[in-house]
């Protein structure tokens, strides 16, 4: 059912999970100090070569937009294509927006931040989702969604103000679906730095709570 970008379960359409196919889960919660909205796609069996390529290109788009440095007061629509470029290179695309504002104990989709043509320019302090995807009708769906904070960027010239994103969702991506040969050295460095952050922040908390099985899973899935 993940081939439907926004699916609602019902007794008539629900399906039994299988290790032989893709599984997309869009999750989140609302807490007194913030709202989360995070999507991961996994495959517990043997993905097809096309599934791996499609997933990897979605991941490349997520990384390319997340690590982008851009001038202050840039409109989200101006940089949105960075999330689509790896898919466009091989004639693929997705039919929904690339991200939306995240409320603080308010709306999960909060106006007016995002990457649509009618969103406001990006400014430091804003939270937005970054969520490229790919959907093949009747077969599978892929989406990788992180919440990111807009922050000031340090540039070689030292001129200000330039902006970038700091991803605050700390959950590994599915190694089983990554076709490593497609990633650039810069994308791999970004991925490794992201995994180091996950280990530094989430690892000690799992140990503090005595969640050793989850801790071992985290260590395994954040290997360089």
């Amino acid at each position: 059912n993940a081939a439907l970008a926004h699916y609602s379960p019902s007794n008539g359409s629900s399906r039994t999970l299988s290790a032989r196919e893709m599984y997309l889960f869009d999750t989140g919660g609302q807490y007194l100090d913030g709202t989360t909205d995070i999507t991961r796609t996994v495959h517990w069996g043997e993905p097809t070569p096309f599934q791996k390529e499609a997933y990897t290109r979605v991941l490349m788009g997520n990384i390319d937009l997340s690590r982008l440095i851009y001038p202050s007061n840039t409109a989200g629509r101006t940089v949105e294509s960075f999330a689509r470029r790896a898919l466009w290179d091989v004639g693929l695309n997705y039919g929904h927006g690339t991200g939306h504002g995240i409320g603080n104990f308010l709306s999960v989709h909060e106006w007016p931040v995002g990457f649509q043509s009618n969103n406001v320019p990006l400014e430091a302090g804003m939270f937005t989702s970054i969520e490229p995807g790919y959907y093949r009708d009747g077969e599978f769906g892929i989406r990788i969604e992180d919440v990111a904070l807009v922050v000031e960027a340090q540039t070689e010239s030292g001129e200000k103000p330039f902006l970038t994103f700091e991803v605050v969702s700390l959950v590994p991506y599915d190694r089983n679906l990554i076709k490593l040969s497609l990633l650039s050295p810069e994308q791999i460095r970004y991925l490794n730095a992201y995994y180091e952050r996950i280990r530094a922040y989430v690892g000690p908390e799992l140990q503090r709570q005595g969640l050793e099985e989850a801790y071992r899973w985290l260590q395994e899935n954040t290997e360089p």
Side-chain angles (χ1 to χ4, degrees), residues 136-212:
R136 175 159 282 197
D137 287 349
E139 294 187 32
F140 63 88
I142 300 166
R143 185 160 67 254
I144 300 175
E145 176 184 23
D146 291 310
V147 176
L149 172 64
V150 181
V151 296
E152 287 195 6
Q154 303 298 318
T155 61
E156 289 185 13
S157 69
E159 293 186 12
K160 292 186 178 182
F162 274 72
L163 301 174
T164 189
F165 296 105
E166 176 187 333
V167 173
V168 298
S169 301
L170 300 175
V171 180
Y173 307 116
D174 187 10
R175 304 173 83 89
N176 190 33
L177 282 166
I178 297 175
K179 185 176 179 181
L180 203 59
S181 61
L182 289 177
L183 299 181
S184 69
E186 292 80 10
Q187 290 166 338
I188 292 173
R189 280 195 293 271
Y190 174 92
L191 203 52
N192 284 334
Y194 177 59
Y195 281 175
E196 286 178 8
R197 274 206 302 135
I198 294 176
R199 283 188 169 192
Y201 282 99
V202 183
E205 179 61 23
L206 294 177
Q207 290 183 304
R208 186 187 70 80
Q209 295 186 31
L211 300 172
E212 290 303 321

Side-chain angles (χ1 to χ4, degrees), residues 7 20 51 57 84 93 99 111 119 135 142 169 184 210 221:
Y7 166 74
R20 299 186 299 275
Q51 287 175 333
R57 291 186 179 277
R84 299 180 185 266
N93 202 7
W111 189 261
N119 288 133
Y135 311 87
I142 300 166
S169 301
S184 69
N221 285 274

